[in-house]
Amino acid sequence: MKPLLLALIGFYRYAISPLLGRRCRFFPSCSEYAAEAVEKYGAGKGGRLALQRVFRCHPWNPGGFDPVP
């Protein structure tokens, strides 16, 4: 599962994200965070961390520096 998730994140980063423009309110960006979390923790925990990060991305969250734990 880990290689599949990393491939999907890579596809998003290089094919879809440039069309949308930089909109992430966090550093590192959500896709960078997801790739690092999956690399570090595997598909299960890394995927869960990535989803939690995406759900935190809303207009009422100030964003900022948020590294992978």
Side-chain angles (χ1 to χ4, degrees):
M1 282 302 289
K2 182 177 170 179
L4 176 63
L5 282 177
L6 291 173
L8 290 172
I9 293 167
F11 175 76
Y12 169 79
R13 288 176 73 184
Y14 297 107
I16 298 171
S17 182
L19 300 174
L20 301 175
R22 289 201 48 91
R23 296 182 183 190
C24 193
R25 59 183 65 245
F26 292 103
F27 180 80
S29 72
C30 292
S31 60
E32 291 170 2
Y33 182 96
E36 186 178 341
V38 170
E39 279 287 335
K40 188 172 182 178
Y41 294 110
K45 184 175 181 181
R48 183 176 50 81
L49 286 170
L51 280 176
Q52 288 174 341
R53 168 72 175 274
V54 170
F55 289 140
R56 283 193 307 254
C57 191
H58 52 75
W60 300 281
N61 188 323
F65 183 64
D66 182 28
V68 174

